[in-house]
Amino acid sequence: MRFTIPADDPCLDGHFPGRPLVPGVVLLERVLEAVEAAHGTQGPLQLPQVKFLHPLLPGEEAEVVLDGAPPAWCFQVRRGDTVLASGQLRAEAGDGR
């Protein structure tokens, strides 16, 4: 799934004045959207491992790449050949009690 965060997106307010960077939580939101687009709603999800390696700037195109199938995936957020973030995502087992 490809995405771009425009320079006027509210998520950039205060992150950081004079040199805006797309917040890591926004990258993770796009990962969750990619999982739902590919596999439907999964219910509660866990992120047991996440690494942020490089920043994403407003207006740059990035892509979420998933590997795996429910209930567990590995992911990368890439800008071209550069890995911006990587990690693991897992659907919670059981009924959530």
Side-chain angles (χ1 to χ4, degrees):
M1 177 184 103
R2 294 185 184 277
F3 68 94
T4 303
I5 305 300
D8 61 350
D9 193 292
C11 77
L12 301 171
D13 289 346
H15 205 270
F16 295 95
R19 188 171 194 278
L21 302 175
V22 176
V25 68
V26 174
L27 300 183
L28 296 177
E29 286 175 347
R30 296 307 183 273
V31 171
L32 297 177
E33 289 172 6
V35 167
E36 288 184 352
H39 302 284
T41 302
Q42 297 297 308
L45 297 170
Q46 299 173 346
L47 291 159
Q49 180 183 11
V50 177
K51 291 184 181 185
F52 296 99
L53 305 167
H54 296 280
L56 179 65
L57 303 178
E60 293 181 329
E61 183 178 69
E63 177 182 21
V64 175
V65 179
L66 296 174
D67 183 31
W73 302 264
C74 290
F75 69 85
Q76 290 185 335
V77 180
R78 298 180 186 166
R79 179 187 57 233
D81 293 334
T82 301
V83 177
L84 307 176
S86 64
Q88 299 172 353
L89 181 70
R90 192 176 358 207
E92 287 186 5
D95 61 5
R97 282 189 247 166

